[in-house]
Amino acid sequence: MPDRDHDQAMVAVFRADPAYAAALLSSVEADGDPEELAIVRRQLQLASMITEGLQQGAEAEKAKL
């Protein structure tokens, strides 16, 4: 089986689970590491989830609480 690069793997994860994507972004933002935040944002942008998908995921994450 051929290898996938990390960004492609994370895009698949984020598309499959928008709530996880939102929770991860929130966690990385809270940690304040600008390099890690840039990586997560790039991966989310690749997954085309920056605006609407993250809002839906965040709502789902809040509903769990």
Side-chain angles (χ1 to χ4, degrees), residues 19 22 55-65:
Q55 289 174 347
Q56 292 170 357
E59 290 170 8
E61 186 70 16
K62 287 178 184 176
K64 290 180 185 177
L65 302 174

Side-chain angles (χ1 to χ4, degrees), residues 29-44:
E29 287 175 333
D31 288 342
D33 182 346
E35 291 176 4
E36 187 176 7
L37 184 57
I39 291 167
V40 171
R41 285 184 174 165
R42 181 187 69 235
Q43 293 167 341
L44 290 169

Side-chain angles (χ1 to χ4, degrees), residues 7-55:
D7 282 354
Q8 291 175 344
M10 292 308 297
V11 164
V13 169
F14 293 159
R15 285 183 177 163
D17 192 349
Y20 170 72
L24 178 63
L25 179 60
S26 179
S27 174
V28 171
E29 287 175 333
D31 288 342
D33 182 346
E35 291 176 4
E36 187 176 7
L37 184 57
I39 291 167
V40 171
R41 285 184 174 165
R42 181 187 69 235
Q43 293 167 341
L44 290 169
Q45 192 170 29
L46 289 170
S48 300
M49 299 175 71
I50 284 294
T51 313
E52 294 171 331
L54 280 178
Q55 289 174 347

